[in-house]
Amino acid sequence: MNSLAVGIVISLSVSVALIWRHHLQSAHLLLNETALGDEPHHPAKFSFSEIKIPAAVTITFLICCLSLYAQIGRFGEWDKGVVDEHIDYLIAADINKNARKVNEQPKSEIALLNLAQSYIAGGMYPEAINSLDELIALSGEAADLLGMKASAMYYRDNRTMSLDTELVLARALALDKFEFQSRLLKATHAYLNGQYEQAIEQWQLLLQSESQSFNRASINNAIFKAEQKIADRS
């Protein structure tokens, strides 16, 4: 039996056992107290009607657990999911949710994009690249998708700027000179490798963009830090 099923069964069994143990201990104490007050020829007896309470609690508990699992889980696929154990459980849940949507709607561009983004959030870069390739094949090349793919390739390769990544970046910037993720990736790579002048150049190009969808204050702060690095080096 799959370890997940075993874990579920054990957890529920322990919880139910604790419920019954608590009730039976309480009932036993009550019977003892009653017996002490009874006459010898009228001993206190345990009524089987007493099991109605723990039985009702047990049934309610199991129904609540199963209902909750039905809402957030997929019992029919409990033995098929594979998730990185080191991924935050909220990100893992988001990946599973988006993967189910893609399975249900394989031609949905939004579903593929959400899945790729959740893979990136979880550090699952090869999976993100595969999802982006499917999306690009479906919708055609777009600068933002290529920029996202290049970033995933870069971090997949442990922050190495490979020739393949450079080619994807070139295609993205050919479509949009100010594509945010592409320029940011080039600036980040340059900064990490001590090429502060090139990093500043990329950030300044971003600031020339008319897009207001990014934090310009953070870009200005990055430029200031790079200028300080240049001054310290001089």
Side-chain angles (χ1 to χ4, degrees), residues 154 159 188-196 233:
Y154 178 76
R159 297 187 178 183
T188 300
H189 179 69
Y191 185 88
L192 292 175
N193 287 274
Q195 300 170 346
Y196 304 118
R233 186 172 57 189

Side-chain angles (χ1 to χ4, degrees), residues 198-226:
Q198 291 90 327
I200 291 173
E201 180 182 351
Q202 296 299 324
W203 284 322
Q204 287 177 338
L205 280 170
L206 278 178
L207 292 176
Q208 293 176 21
S209 169
E210 296 180 356
S211 173
Q212 300 295 322
S213 61
F214 61 90
N215 190 330
R216 293 177 178 269
S218 64
I219 298 297
N220 283 318
N221 186 51
I223 292 174
F224 177 73
K225 289 184 177 179

Side-chain angles (χ1 to χ4, degrees), residues 58-77:
T58 299
I59 293 172
T60 303
F61 173 76
L62 292 176
I63 290 175
C64 290
C65 290
L66 293 175
S67 300
L68 181 62
Y69 189 82
Q71 294 296 321
I72 65 175
R74 295 269 292 191
F75 183 78
E77 299 174 2

Side-chain angles (χ1 to χ4, degrees), residues 169-201:
L169 280 173
R171 284 157 54 196
L173 293 173
L175 293 172
D176 182 358
K177 177 181 178 181
F178 300 110
E179 201 287 307
F180 177 75
Q181 292 184 87
S182 300
R183 289 295 177 192
L184 186 62
L185 177 59
K186 290 175 74 70
T188 300
H189 179 69
Y191 185 88
L192 292 175
N193 287 274
Q195 300 170 346
Y196 304 118
E197 292 85 355
Q198 291 90 327
I200 291 173
E201 180 182 351

Side-chain angles (χ1 to χ4, degrees), residues 58-211:
T58 299
I59 293 172
T60 303
F61 173 76
L62 292 176
I63 290 175
C64 290
C65 290
L66 293 175
S67 300
L68 181 62
Y69 189 82
Q71 294 296 321
I72 65 175
R74 295 269 292 191
F75 183 78
E77 299 174 2
W78 58 267
D79 60 340
K80 299 178 182 178
V82 179
V83 178
D84 189 339
E85 294 179 352
H86 301 290
I87 296 177
D88 180 271
Y89 76 97
L90 291 176
I91 297 177
D94 195 43
I95 290 172
N96 290 334
K97 179 189 71 175
N98 291 324
R100 288 198 298 270
K101 288 184 178 179
V102 170
N103 288 333
E104 295 166 359
Q105 306 174 32
K107 299 299 183 181
S108 170
E109 296 179 13
I110 295 177
L112 282 167
L113 178 60
N114 289 337
L115 180 58
Q117 290 174 332
S118 60
Y119 276 140
I120 290 174
M124 300 174 67
Y125 301 113
E127 291 82 357
I129 294 167
N130 291 336
S131 296
L132 288 168
D133 283 338
E134 292 181 31
L135 178 55
I136 291 171
L138 184 65
S139 63
E141 289 192 346
D144 57 341
L145 297 180
L146 291 171
M148 188 184 301
K149 179 181 176 180
S151 296
M153 294 170 67
Y154 178 76
Y155 289 106
R156 177 201 62 187
D157 298 336
N158 296 317
R159 297 187 178 183
T160 299
M161 186 66 73
S162 66
L163 177 59
D164 288 341
T165 303
E166 290 181 346
L167 290 174
V168 175
L169 280 173
R171 284 157 54 196
L173 293 173
L175 293 172
D176 182 358
K177 177 181 178 181
F178 300 110
E179 201 287 307
F180 177 75
Q181 292 184 87
S182 300
R183 289 295 177 192
L184 186 62
L185 177 59
K186 290 175 74 70
T188 300
H189 179 69
Y191 185 88
L192 292 175
N193 287 274
Q195 300 170 346
Y196 304 118
E197 292 85 355
Q198 291 90 327
I200 291 173
E201 180 182 351
Q202 296 299 324
W203 284 322
Q204 287 177 338
L205 280 170
L206 278 178
L207 292 176
Q208 293 176 21
S209 169
E210 296 180 356
S211 173

